Amino acid sequence: MAIRCVASRKTLAGLKETSSRLIGFRGIQTFTLPDLPYDYGALEPAISGEIMQIHHQKHHQTYVTNYNNALEQLDQAVSKGGTSAVVKLQSAIKFNGGGHVNHSIFWKNLAPVKEGGGEPPKGSLGSAIDTHFGSLEGLVKKMSAEGAAVQGSGWVWLGLDKELKKLVVDTTANQDPLVTKGGSLVPLVGIDVWEHAYYLQYKNVRPEYLKNVWKVINWKYASEIYEKECN
Amino acid sequence: MYCKKIMIVQTIRRTATCTTQLNYQKAEPSIKLKTHTDSTGVCSPHLSLQLELQSQSMAASTAVTANYVLKPPPYALDALEPHMSKQTLEFHWGKHHRAYVDNLKKQVLGTELEGKPLDHIINKTYNNGDLLPAFNNAAQAWNHEFFWESMKPNGGGKPSGELLALLERDFTSYEKFYEEFNAAAATQFGAGWAWLAYANDKLKVVKTPNAVNPLVLGSFPLLTIDVWEHAYYLDFQNRRPDYIKTFMNNLVSWEAVSARLEAAKTASSSSA
């Protein structure tokens, strides 16, 4: 598998020279862009290599960079006790942190056809889907319809409600992670319906993107998560 | 190669727009019959037939036509190149904007909104922030028409006259306004718009999500930039800041903004 040149930053956050500053140092973690487990072009023709490269190297990287910046600013605001500053940073953290979380899941939700992309789920997830949605086709239809109906930017999700022990389909706006729709929701499959996820290839025809993306959905990963959460 | 279609070109002199309504006051209607071809031998859609608009505007010059027409931009689809490509206009106007208009017509058919002016539908369906289904299509139809008219070929640069004076008054300098407008457009998370708006005798920069516009927030829109990704993705991909700069430096129609400001001031003082 080719090694992609991926920008990664491993910097110690906030560490400055003076020892007096170390007293307040909290050692916040810095996040980095995760590698894709496949080549940019490996999901073609469902998703073009051009889109995958820009989506990963530009969009996701920007979320990571801005998330790190926001965390650094948050750290400083918290140490100074500036409540207004802390509150003001929440939207940047939600947006960029959410973007990082969501995209990290998304890359795992996709797989090249020759690595199982598009293969229907078997095992307990497969049965659960049939139980809750009648069939995989039923689930796909529902998610595609809800994904197409998202106004503006957002995501459509298949999630597991851990508490109620049932599968749910839901959407989130912008980069809100699924957990913002319910604390017990675990994302199994997320599909990015921001225009940047499909525009260069599908232009305004989001339903066409949603029709084709299922050919590269990695149900193996979704099953792993499902089985882990159910035990 | 000549275009075989005969296009009826209607010249309507557009007066300054009122905030909540687009006024098309006809001065001297001139109907021209002409054959049209552009440099590639293709019929430009911006000269398409608009007879229903003519009959509507003859009747009353106030309310926006209830027919929710997909009005073409006031320039050819390739006229904004190289700053905004023909391909972008073809998709953005020809597909996105068209879909908002077509879907709005379908959506209001058989409902109490059918036949109502566009601004009425926008305000009704905004519903104080608890959006009703038709809001997205209605507001987006309005926003896009306003957006095309906010631009012109060889636009951009600095405004002059009273508009410049007010920008300097309310932002301390044109450069500060430029910065603030840029920042608003760049930091609108997700889909949305950035605006220059007028309210209470003051200019301000506003950013809105998705389809929301200053009309429903109680101010007069003067200028807008579309920052939905479809507005810039073909030309700039993820580089929204570059798109915003290009818009400000090369596309803004300050004439349109000035005319809207005049209308806003008139409307303000008459209701004061």
Side-chain angles (χ1 to χ4, degrees), chain A residues 54 59 152 194-196 199 204, chain B residues 96 190 228-230 233 238:
Chain A
I54 297 175
H59 291 277
W194 280 64
E195 286 171 330
H196 66 239
Y199 207 80
N204 59 301
Chain B
H96 290 271
W228 282 61
E229 286 176 327
H230 65 238
Y233 215 81
N238 61 302

Side-chain angles (χ1 to χ4, degrees), chain B residues 125-141:
Chain B
T125 56
Y126 181 67
N127 196 30
N128 291 313
D130 189 11
L131 309 181
L132 300 177
F135 178 77
N136 191 58
N137 288 321
Q140 286 292 78

Side-chain angles (χ1 to χ4, degrees), chain A residues 127-175:
Chain A
S127 322
I129 288 173
D130 289 344
T131 304
H132 287 108
F133 303 101
S135 62
L136 180 62
E137 290 68 40
L139 169 64
V140 165
K141 202 164 161 210
K142 186 175 168 69
M143 281 183 75
S144 298
E146 295 206 16
V150 169
Q151 279 165 20
S153 309
W155 293 73
V156 58
W157 302 94
L158 170 67
L160 165 68
D161 188 324
K162 274 189 301 189
E163 256 165 59
L164 302 179
K165 297 212 189 326
K166 58 182 274 221
L167 295 176
V168 298
V169 168
D170 207 343
T171 60
T172 56
N174 297 333
Q175 292 300 349

